[in-house]
Amino acid sequence: MIQSALKLPTHLFIERHTSVSFNWNLVFTTLVLVSIGLVTIASASIDFAVENFNDPWYFVRRHIVYLFLGFSASCVMLLIPTTFWKRYGWMLFFVAVFFLVIVLIPGVGRRVNGSQRWLSVGPITLQVSEMVKFCSIVFFASYLSNSQYFLQTQWKELFKPLLMLVFLMWLLLLEPDFGGSVVLAVTVGGMLFLAGAKLWQCCLLLVSGLAILAGLVWFTPYRLERLVTFLDPWQDQFDTGYQLTQSLIAFGRGEWFGLGLGNSIQKMLYLPESHTDFIFSIFAEEHGFIGAVLLLLLFIYFVFQIVLVAKKAMLRNNTFVALTAFGIAILFGFQIMVNVGVASGFFPTKGLTLPFISYGGSSLLVNCLLIALLLRLDYDLDLDVVKSSKKRGSLK
């Protein structure tokens, strides 16, 4: 746990950094994932784009636009020092609440398939829940790093961040966005545990959360239908189980080495959402079991690089950076696990994108911002070490 690591004396660690540079391992891994995502979206979306927009490259062009916006916003993010986020992170809670409220206003929020989750800014459409993920990670990292002592010594202090979390989840469920609220709960819950919440408190929260989720599923017919379909999709494979059975067929067609890039059959309007929520199925069909495993290994390495930043921050007694990095790692790791699990039939159908691979402008933008934030935090960690070593050298 993070509180134990933070008690370690810093003089036991010998800093080897004499210069400051960006985490190029993380940069390179992210660029590889982005490249794979662009190629996979181009392959998976062509037939759907021709059928609905009479333009085979419709989604590819939009994805490139969002990539450009994401990289541009990331360049700005890299200019913002860690001290800014630590000092003003509390404001992001109100930013998140503001967007969650205005998206619910009729005529302001855009309603698609019964859910009012999007805001239109000119030609750009933003999903509010994606922005809330970024705001929540930074806010709770800032809040918990400032109140860590009280969280560890006074169990009542746990209720303050919990109330704020429940409030954000409630606003998300009003859209409704069940998947976004679950992702937020898992991410912030993990950050609370790492910040010093007792094990029994976390177990109690977990049981309470599962009970609430079970209630939401039981009393919402379409969610209950999804659960029943997940248990046996072949029982109604041409209706409620259609999407999952088509996804499993894609996995089966891929066999060991796949059908080859561009040769997927399921993307030809058989598998709904083939370029978004179920893009991993198309990837597995075209690249086979071996290709799917290699992609998963790349994701594991990606998350591992983020955890290394958190570990570095722990060793240097920087609670804010450690919690932020852990929050980002939990967010990416959980989304990857759920998306792959849904596509392969291990979890009930839930609309969560596969980071940097699925088509989705808002998700791509926020993911780019999170990586840029992490790179800046990591850079400032090394910068502080260099400044401290120079200061010690001047004193000598």
Side-chain angles (χ1 to χ4, degrees):
M1 291 177 61
I2 191 171
Q3 66 268 26
S4 300
L6 291 176
K7 293 176 181 178
L8 294 173
T10 56
H11 69 272
L12 294 179
F13 302 97
I14 301 174
E15 304 294 352
R16 300 179 180 178
H17 296 83
T18 57
S19 61
V20 183
S21 63
F22 283 113
N23 188 334
W24 293 112
N25 288 333
L26 183 59
V27 172
F28 178 74
T29 307
T30 303
L31 290 177
V32 172
L33 287 172
V34 168
S35 302
I36 294 173
L38 180 60
V39 173
T40 308
I41 288 169
S43 175
S45 66
I46 287 178
D47 294 277
F48 184 78
V50 170
E51 179 71 18
N52 291 274
F53 302 98
N54 198 30
D55 178 6
W57 306 110
Y58 175 82
F59 292 105
V60 176
R61 278 198 291 267
R62 288 179 64 86
H63 188 75
I64 291 174
V65 169
Y66 278 108
L67 269 178
F68 174 77
L69 293 175
F71 286 145
S72 301
S74 297
C75 291
V76 176
M77 180 69 69
L78 290 172
L79 300 176
I80 304 176
T82 302
T83 52
F84 175 86
W85 298 112
K86 187 174 182 180
R87 184 177 302 170
Y88 300 106
W90 60 271
M91 298 177 62
L92 292 182
F93 175 79
F94 299 99
V95 173
V97 171
F98 172 76
F99 280 109
L100 285 171
V101 170
I102 64 170
V103 77
L104 296 173
I105 300 175
V108 178
R110 180 182 173 188
R111 180 173 288 272
V112 178
N113 296 328
S115 299
Q116 195 161 320
R117 309 175 186 175
W118 294 267
L119 291 175
S120 296
V121 184
I124 304 299
T125 302
L126 299 176
Q127 188 171 353
V128 170
S129 61
E130 296 295 334
M131 294 185 287
V132 170
K133 293 174 186 175
F134 177 89
C135 295
S136 298
I137 288 176
V138 178
F139 164 73
F140 281 103
S142 176
Y143 177 87
L144 294 174
S145 63
N146 291 325
S147 59
Q148 187 182 26
Y149 172 78
F150 300 102
L151 187 65
Q152 295 175 10
T153 57
Q154 302 177 21
W155 66 272
K156 294 182 180 180
E157 287 294 319
L158 182 65
F159 287 100
K160 294 180 181 178
L162 278 182
L163 287 175
M164 291 183 280
L165 172 61
V166 170
F167 182 60
L168 293 176
M169 291 176 61
W170 175 67
L171 291 175
L172 281 169
L173 290 171
L174 289 178
E175 296 181 2
D177 190 349
F178 184 77
S181 60
V182 171
V183 170
L184 184 64
V186 171
T187 303
V188 177
M191 294 172 68
L192 281 169
F193 176 70
L194 293 166
K198 301 294 188 294
L199 182 60
W200 68 268
Q201 294 173 330
C202 294
C203 291
L204 181 61
L205 292 176
L206 178 62
V207 172
S208 302
L210 290 175
I212 293 172
L213 292 178
L216 289 173
V217 170
W218 184 261
F219 292 105
T220 310
Y222 77 91
R223 292 194 182 111
L224 184 59
E225 186 180 59
R226 282 183 179 180
L227 181 61
V228 173
T229 301
F230 154 72
L231 296 175
D232 188 7
W234 300 101
Q235 186 177 3
D236 194 7
Q237 62 180 3
F238 297 108
D239 189 9
T240 56
Y242 179 79
Q243 194 172 31
L244 180 54
T245 55
Q246 294 301 314
S247 176
L248 295 175
I249 290 172
F251 278 95
R253 289 184 186 276
E255 297 184 350
W256 284 99
F257 299 101
L259 301 177
L261 181 62
N263 293 328
S264 167
I265 296 174
Q266 293 305 104
K267 71 181 182 182
M268 297 179 181
L269 307 181
Y270 291 103
L271 176 59
E273 311 295 339
S274 61
H275 60 295
T276 54
D277 299 340
F278 283 82
I279 198 168
F280 186 74
S281 305
I282 303 301
F283 185 90
E285 184 182 8
E286 295 186 344
H287 301 280
F289 176 78
I290 301 300
V293 169
L294 290 176
L295 179 60
L296 289 177
L297 290 175
L298 182 62
F299 271 124
I300 291 172
Y301 180 76
F302 171 71
V303 175
F304 177 71
Q305 288 298 317
I306 300 175
V307 173
L308 287 181
V309 176
K311 180 181 178 182
K312 183 195 296 185
M314 288 165 56
L315 299 181
R316 296 175 185 176
N317 290 345
N318 194 321
T319 313
F320 171 73
V321 174
L323 288 173
T324 304
F326 270 125
I328 295 173
I330 294 170
L331 175 68
F332 280 125
F334 184 71
Q335 286 199 183
I336 293 166
M337 181 184 68
V338 171
N339 182 276
V340 174
V342 167
S344 54
F346 284 98
F347 299 124
T349 302
K350 190 65 252 162
L352 288 178
T353 58
L354 188 60
F356 297 111
I357 306 296
S358 297
Y359 173 80
S362 300
S363 174
L364 183 61
L365 277 173
V366 171
N367 290 341
C368 289
L369 289 176
L370 287 171
I371 295 301
L373 172 64
L374 194 66
L375 289 172
R376 179 64 201 226
L377 297 180
D378 187 43
Y379 177 87
D380 285 344
L381 278 175
D382 292 339
L383 185 63
D384 290 340
V385 172
V386 172
K387 288 181 178 179
S388 299
S389 62
K390 288 182 178 180
K391 186 177 180 180
R392 288 194 299 267
S394 63
L395 290 174
K396 292 179 180 178

